[in-house]
Amino acid sequence: MIFHSLNELSHTYDHVYLSPHLDDAALSCGGVIAAQQHAGQRVLVVTLCTATPSPEGPFSELAQAFHTAWGLGPAAVVATRLREDEAAMALLGADGLWAGCLDAIYRHPTTYTSRATLFHQPAADDPLYSEITPLLIALRERLPEAAFYAPLGIGAHVDHLLTHAAARTVLGTNLIYYEDIPYAIRLGALAERLAKVDLPLNKQIIVIDATLDTKLAAIAAYTSQMVELAQSQLGLTVDAVTDASAALTAAIAAYAHQVGGALPAERIWV
């Protein structure tokens, strides 16, 4: 089930995942989410950047490039991605809460004008931190017994960094960090981020052999994202959605086996 406000939540949850975008939770934690649900635990995925931008823009060249890569016009992009997210959550067995914040490319179109600025330190006047902090406080008050998961910030996407910072401020040591996929797949990306995070983190390996296929199916539900992710994050020259989806899910499955060794796994940091 998908909710649009905290007031709509009708029960408690054992696990709460903070997902900057419509796909991050499935990409990074889909195997563990499905396993938790199969074990009879309730999972809520809180996706922050789900608001529809004004159809009049303005849209930066970067936003227009993303629209082209996604094969969607400004009016259809968020609606399409919300439908994809609803399908993915149904596959994982998780509920979703759409927080209604704007994606960085729409929120700050005059600052985040290139990939170099989008995957960098957030702008000093970026409002996302102040927008999501009250939500996180309310979530913690509403769900005091839940385990909360936030992105580690691998890849340095500004939305991931701001989510990480706000969650760390509000939740402190009562927070679990997940590896941002697909960015974590890049050689050295995890080590680079860990060197910048001033925290005494310990890793935990969670085997997902029983739910890897479910995770990959949920990822594949984000059809609009397949080509762009395969091209920009894996460096592949694929144009067809089916080819991109196959390449991306294969790379993510390979990473799961790299993390787990004999059995595929996801890694969290506590």
Side-chain angles (χ1 to χ4, degrees):
M1 184 174 294
I2 300 295
F3 304 105
H4 297 85
S5 76
L6 277 177
N7 293 332
E8 296 178 6
L9 300 183
S10 58
H11 43 68
T12 60
Y13 290 90
D14 302 292
H15 305 276
V16 178
Y17 289 81
L18 305 177
S19 182
H21 305 114
L22 294 156
D23 64 9
D24 288 319
L27 283 163
S28 303
C29 313
V32 172
I33 290 172
Q36 290 167 340
Q37 188 274 334
H38 288 167
Q41 300 170 9
R42 289 189 177 275
V43 180
L44 178 68
V45 174
V46 180
T47 306
L48 302 174
C49 298
T50 61
T52 302
S54 169
E56 290 79 26
F59 297 110
S60 66
E61 289 186 4
L62 179 62
Q64 294 177 55
F66 277 125
H67 294 164
T68 299
W70 298 335
L72 296 168
V77 61
V78 174
T80 298
R81 297 195 67 186
L82 291 174
R83 288 195 296 271
E84 293 170 347
D85 190 61
E86 194 163 8
M89 292 302 104
L91 287 167
L92 295 177
D95 287 344
L97 172 62
W98 294 339
C101 301
L102 282 169
D103 190 292
I105 60 174
Y106 306 127
R107 188 176 68 245
H108 231 298
T110 60
T111 299
Y112 305 129
T113 58
S114 66
R115 291 184 185 275
T117 54
L118 187 64
F119 293 89
H120 192 59
Q121 285 301 311
D125 60 343
D126 191 316
L128 184 63
Y129 181 96
S130 60
E131 288 178 4
I132 64 178
T133 297
L135 171 64
L136 299 184
I137 293 172
L139 278 166
R140 169 50 76 197
E141 291 176 348
R142 181 72 176 268
L143 304 168
E145 302 301 321
F148 279 75
Y149 305 74
L152 189 57
I154 302 168
H157 189 296
V158 296
D159 291 336
H160 288 237
L161 294 179
L162 289 165
T163 303
H164 172 97
R168 183 172 169 177
T169 297
V170 172
L171 302 167
T173 57
N174 297 314
L175 184 60
I176 300 164
Y177 298 97
Y178 61 80
E179 296 182 7
D180 317 58
I181 293 176
Y183 312 117
I185 294 175
R186 297 201 301 265
L187 184 64
L190 171 61
E192 179 182 353
R193 180 57 179 163
L194 287 174
K196 294 179 180 179
V197 176
D198 184 23
L199 286 171
L201 296 176
N202 296 304
K203 64 183 177 183
Q204 293 184 4
I205 306 297
I206 305 176
V207 173
I208 59 167
D209 59 320
T211 55
L212 177 60
D213 288 345
T214 301
K215 171 179 179 168
L216 298 180
I219 292 170
Y222 297 98
T223 306
S224 67
Q225 304 302 295
M226 293 298 102
V227 171
E228 197 280 329
L229 287 173
Q231 291 179 342
S232 66
Q233 300 305 319
L234 302 180
L236 301 177
T237 54
V238 292
D239 295 316
V241 170
T242 53
D243 293 341
S245 179
L248 183 67
T249 53
I252 290 171
Y255 185 73
H257 282 279
Q258 177 186 326
V259 169
L263 295 172
E266 290 173 352
R267 184 168 45 210
I268 58 174
W269 296 83
V270 298

